[in-house]
Amino acid sequence: MRMQEVKISETGILELDIMELPKSCVIVICEGKAKLGALPAHAETRIKTHAGKVKRVNFDEGEEF
């Protein structure tokens, strides 16, 4: 699984150390949950929603020729 859970405190505060994050990444927040995913060097990332809720995150990777 590419997306990892990110802890949110009981008071609703999201704390991240930017020095520990991947060089380029995405954080998706929905319904009180947060997930972090590193972005590949050559890819298309799609976030699919339904009824205002995140349902799926798709990574379509490629490689330079």
Side-chain angles (χ1 to χ4, degrees):
M1 214 153 90
R2 188 179 299 242
M3 301 290 284
Q4 302 171 358
E5 290 273 338
V6 177
K7 274 184 104 174
I8 298 176
S9 71
E10 291 179 12
T11 58
I13 296 175
L14 179 68
E15 291 187 31
L16 294 171
D17 182 358
I18 61 170
M19 299 305 286
E20 293 183 12
L21 293 177
K23 188 174 180 179
S24 61
C25 62
V26 61
I27 299 171
V28 180
I29 302 170
C30 182
E31 293 188 317
K33 292 183 190 175
K35 290 194 176 186
L36 169 78
L39 296 174
H42 302 283
E44 179 178 312
T45 304
R46 283 176 258 133
I47 300 170
K48 295 186 178 186
T49 62
H50 177 73
K53 299 177 186 174
V54 176
K55 292 296 180 183
R56 193 165 187 87
V57 178
N58 291 335
F59 295 91
D60 184 15
E61 294 186 53
E63 185 176 315
E64 289 291 323
F65 184 71

